[in-house]
Amino acid sequence: MKKIILLFLSLFLFQKSRSQILENPLFAYSSEKMEKVLQDVELKFKIKYSYIDSIISNKRITIPKKRYSLEEMNENIEIQTDLKITKIDSRFYSISKEKKKDSIKTYWLKDVLVEGFLAKGINKTNEKFIIYPQKVETLPGVTDADILLSLQQLPGVKSPNETASGLHVRGGTSDQNLVLWDGIRLYHPGHLFGMISGINPNVNQTVSYYNKSTNPKFGERISSVIDIKSSDVITEKMKAKAGINALNADLYLQIPLVKNKLGLQLSGRKSFTEWLQLPTFNQLADKVFQNTNFTDFDSENQFRFQDYSGKINYKPSPKTNISFTGLVIDNNLDFTTESSNSSINTQEMNIFNQGYSLNWTQNLTSKWTQKVLLFYSIYDFDYDKKQQFSSTDFEAFKKLNRIVDSGAELNWNTVFNPKWSLDYGYQIFGNDVSHLFSSYNQNVAFDLSLKHVYNITHVGYLYLKYDNQRWNLRGGARYNRFNKIDASSFEPRFFVQRQLTDSFIWQASYERKSQIVSQVRENVANDLSLENYVWIVSENENYPVQKGNQYTTGIIFKQKSWLVDIDLYYKNITGITSFTLGFINQSVPTINSGKGYTKGIDFLIQKSTPTWRAWITYTYQDSQNRFDGINQDQYFQINSNIKHAFNVAFNKKWNEFSLALGWFLHSGKPYSLLDQDGQMATFNANRLPAYHRLDISAIYEFYKSNDKSIKLGVSIYNAYNRKTIINKELERSYANVIDYTVPNYTVQDYYSLGITPNIFLRMNF
């Protein structure tokens, strides 16, 4: 033991003496970008700067070659940029525009709790996580900064079916996450049946992720909020980013139209899987289309995807910012096979999400800001399955699901003084939701299900914030009025944080949320299990409004290079149905209402140095539901209840090369089986085998000069190729007319993704 203590003491003294030797490092710059200068200063002095990208984007630094102290470097930066550098503590500094102490921007910079949460480019504030995709260091298994896959690295975020878009946050389902792009509501934020994100990660953007203590300006869903905002910066010169990986190619342009006044951003991403099927696509397709007849893709049997976005930024004055955004996400499947009886089977699917938004931000005074949002989005799902027996005889099934979503928001922020501020506003949303299930042949057609519902929601909210050196308090409420069902929902939200010591922070929160638009599982034919859900609007009788309450408390420990974050939570939900949150339910033809709860803990321990970072996360979760008339009215595990999830990861940087390794382990999902009479024998009392995998990612930046760079990256998902059963479903078949009245089921096993390599090349110029 004494030898170990002496060893650690020697290492400590060595590092201390080494830091003293490098106290005044050598610097020399000639019109260098400020971002690069700040990175060098951070590395050599082991400090961190907090700043908003827009205030440094056009700044350049020139200093003669010599040794500088940290104070001298900060002074040079301030003189040459007219920016203010404020020391927060021994390690953290904030950079802001030269304003009064009570300026809004300086006020918000103090909210940063943790910089580099898991990786550089991921920050944690009092209320949320902030992800800057273009700055995120290499994450294990994540290719090309995929936003939704990056979120899965955070504690408490799971994807039981191994999809990017199927995020389950603290016992919630994927449809309970509100996903926004510049205010546009996204109902299908994925490509390739959710295996990759439908949001181009190479657009300059900021991702705010809320899993608790959500600002009441956000509602509509009872789980998390993923608020994505593209850049408002108008560049001085044209900039471009281009890239290609094993699935798609993309291009992003920033074009200045009028200097400092008007700018245009364009992005496009297009798959080439309809022309060329590389091993990456083949592995993903094998996983997605298992238990179907989709076996060989080629130039005729195709799956393809694309997404496009455009944004116009207009700044008529320093106090006014206006932007208009358009977005399209498109997925297409077209597959034809010939069966043993010479019939031709054709399946076509199109999933389309488009939206538009107008954002107007006006600084009415130095302490009063107004934000106006107008948005319009459309989600279209069109699935057609046809079996052609002859030129005149056929049987077919069609499924349609459409959402037209529109609304307006008036949001204000008032800063009374450096300690007190208030968010408040009014919002109005319209949800026009319809679906159709139709079966038809050459002689007759009949509708299995048809519904069209329109709802208008009126919202008012208030959120009061108080900050001083030791206390951070938030409190407010959201009020929703649902016209269609003549109902309302009052949602209080509270957050309290106390700085116990220089290293320990305690925090607790409570929030109530409601949801009127959600997904239910269809009970009709569909060969594609990943897409057999339908969006519906709540109704008082069959589908009530879902309501959830979440209570949290936790401790954050920060000291030098160590971080420990522990968060305990309890959630309860009412208004769920047997088709929504539960279990393998196709054997129950009726709709059963119920409620549920989730209790759990998220744990993180992280060690950071200038060149490497390591972290361990662990999540315990117990999620259970109870439905009237099912399982003798007793609670049972929900279908996605992964009780234990463990992750250990390591990231190392050597100059231009970086490497990330991550090992993921979690317990298997619960499942139910039918007895010999076709009835549910037990309700999720069985559990699948444990799941684990190793992911590897590496990036090499072999050219960098000013705004230009070229980098090559590779990732390997499930490096040791362990395939595990991750889902067991009871699927209802419709082989003949009798099956429509007397259920007939088969058990299908679904396995995890095998070893999946990917590679990308990215250029900035």
Side-chain angles (χ1 to χ4, degrees), residues 39-86:
Q39 290 174 353
D40 292 347
V41 176
E42 286 179 336
L43 179 64
K44 293 184 178 181
F45 289 106
K46 298 180 181 179
I47 64 167
K48 286 291 182 181
Y49 291 107
S50 295
Y51 54 85
I52 298 172
D53 290 351
S54 59
I55 68 173
I56 72 162
S57 60
N58 300 320
K59 306 292 186 182
R60 292 187 175 273
I61 305 296
T62 299
I63 61 173
K65 183 177 180 180
K66 72 170 203 175
R67 295 188 179 274
Y68 293 86
S69 67
L70 175 59
E71 290 73 23
E72 290 172 332
M73 285 299 297
N74 285 339
E75 183 179 357
N76 272 286
I77 293 171
E78 287 183 331
I79 292 172
Q80 296 186 44
T81 62
D82 292 326
L83 297 175
K84 177 65 175 177
I85 300 178
T86 304

Side-chain angles (χ1 to χ4, degrees), residues 108-137:
W108 282 112
L109 285 171
K110 296 178 182 178
D111 280 351
V112 177
L113 285 178
V114 180
E115 286 195 312
F117 190 95
L118 300 186
K120 183 180 178 181
I122 304 177
N123 296 342
K124 183 176 182 179
T125 72
N126 297 322
E127 299 175 281
K128 61 188 177 183
F129 293 90
I130 302 177
I131 300 176
Y132 305 96
Q134 301 307 304
K135 294 183 178 181
V136 173
E137 292 175 337

Side-chain angles (χ1 to χ4, degrees), residues 500-527:
L500 302 175
T501 69
D502 290 341
S503 300
F504 279 97
I505 299 172
W506 168 79
Q507 56 188 21
S509 69
Y510 165 74
E511 65 180 11
R512 179 182 297 169
K513 293 182 176 181
S514 62
Q515 180 167 341
I516 193 171
V517 179
S518 60
Q519 284 183 318
V520 297
R521 182 160 186 150
E522 70 173 73
N523 202 28
V524 291
N526 190 336
D527 280 354

Side-chain angles (χ1 to χ4, degrees), residues 547-566:
K547 296 182 179 180
N549 298 276
Q550 180 178 207
Y551 309 82
T552 73
T553 185
I555 290 287
I556 298 173
F557 170 78
K558 299 189 303 176
Q559 191 173 72
K560 296 181 179 178
S561 59
W562 287 96
L563 170 67
V564 179
D565 191 329
I566 303 173

